[in-house]
Amino acid sequence: EEVIEKTLEEGEKVFVMSHSLGGQVAMNYTLLQPSRVAGLILLSPAPLFVPHRMIRPYWLVHSMTALHKRIDSTPLRPLWRHALRLIWILWGFTPRISTGAVSHGQRRLHMVDFWAQRGRCAKLKQQGVPTLMAWSKNDPMIEPELHHDMSQSLPGGPRLVYKDGGHFINKHHAGPIAAAVVEWMGLCAMREDAL
């Protein structure tokens, strides 16, 4: 938020783009600063209505995070981070994922309030900030039905659904997504100018 405020001129707006759990951050910023957001772009967002398949059972995720917080500050830290990374790879993450990224992600999962997200989506819909959302039907982490339900709960905008691409559609469909985003941003700008 601070970076955006320092960068923008008075009355200038931004498009906020996110991936996966970053969607919660992007949605929260949009709710806090709707006059600063021209549009919201959510790529494979964690639906956050209910824990998705990657983090079920949810009690296990919380237990792992509590354990992570305790062990991560001990001499066992390197061994623990390696073990945690292997668990994340079994969950479907790329073997190239770093132990630091896993550690950060594990802490982030613990902070997610899945059950408050429906209210956030309703507020966003009420605010009417245009929202582009994209996901794939073969996401190994999040059920496509949850993405569909979330897309119905958000303000209008393009919905890009890909047959493949997994959770990282931003990598596997970068060209088509970029083209759709640029076109949509242009339409949003024309709409804003007409107001």
Side-chain angles (χ1 to χ4, degrees):
E1 183 177 348
E2 191 176 306
V3 171
I4 293 173
E5 294 305 315
K6 287 180 179 178
T7 307
L8 294 180
E9 300 287 328
E10 184 66 35
E12 197 174 6
K13 293 184 174 192
V14 295
F15 285 87
V16 181
M17 180 184 278
S18 65
H19 174 259
S20 195
L21 280 175
Q24 184 179 30
V25 175
M27 292 169 74
N28 285 341
Y29 178 77
T30 302
L31 285 170
L32 291 171
Q33 299 289 337
S35 63
R36 298 297 239 169
V37 179
L40 183 60
I41 303 160
L42 303 170
L43 306 177
S44 300
L48 308 176
F49 291 162
V50 295
H52 46 283
R53 67 177 153 221
M54 184 206 138
I55 58 173
R56 280 191 222 123
Y58 196 56
W59 63 267
L60 181 60
V61 171
H62 270 282
S63 299
M64 284 176 55
T65 302
L67 188 60
H68 177 67
K69 286 178 178 179
R70 286 205 166 101
I71 295 175
D72 206 43
S73 59
T74 72
L76 294 174
R77 177 183 178 161
L79 182 62
W80 167 250
R81 284 189 171 200
H82 180 70
L84 191 58
R85 179 180 164 269
L86 292 176
I87 292 169
W88 277 52
I89 291 168
L90 288 173
W91 273 344
F93 279 88
T94 175
R96 293 184 307 272
I97 193 164
S98 71
T99 56
V102 168
S103 178
H104 175 75
Q106 190 67 44
R107 281 193 206 97
R108 181 85 175 93
L109 281 173
H110 187 67
M111 297 184 315
V112 173
D113 183 352
F114 289 94
W115 296 271
Q117 195 63 5
R118 244 184 237 289
R120 287 186 194 105
C121 287
K123 287 177 187 172
L124 281 168
K125 195 164 195 164
Q126 190 176 36
Q127 285 179 353
V129 174
T131 304
L132 180 150
M133 187 171 153
W135 69 92
S136 77
K137 291 182 178 181
N138 75 338
D139 187 328
M141 297 174 200
I142 303 171
E143 300 89 324
E145 299 81 22
L146 293 178
H147 278 139
H148 176 77
D149 290 349
M150 184 175 180
S151 77
Q152 299 298 303
S153 302
L154 291 166
R159 302 300 188 248
L160 311 175
V161 183
Y162 295 92
K163 159 179 99 165
D164 60 6
H167 189 62
F168 297 95
I169 57 166
N170 48 321
K171 293 181 180 182
H172 298 284
H173 295 286
I177 290 172
V181 166
V182 168
E183 179 183 355
W184 177 69
M185 288 170 66
L187 292 171
C188 288
M190 288 189 321
R191 179 179 159 240
E192 189 73 24
D193 289 344
L195 296 177

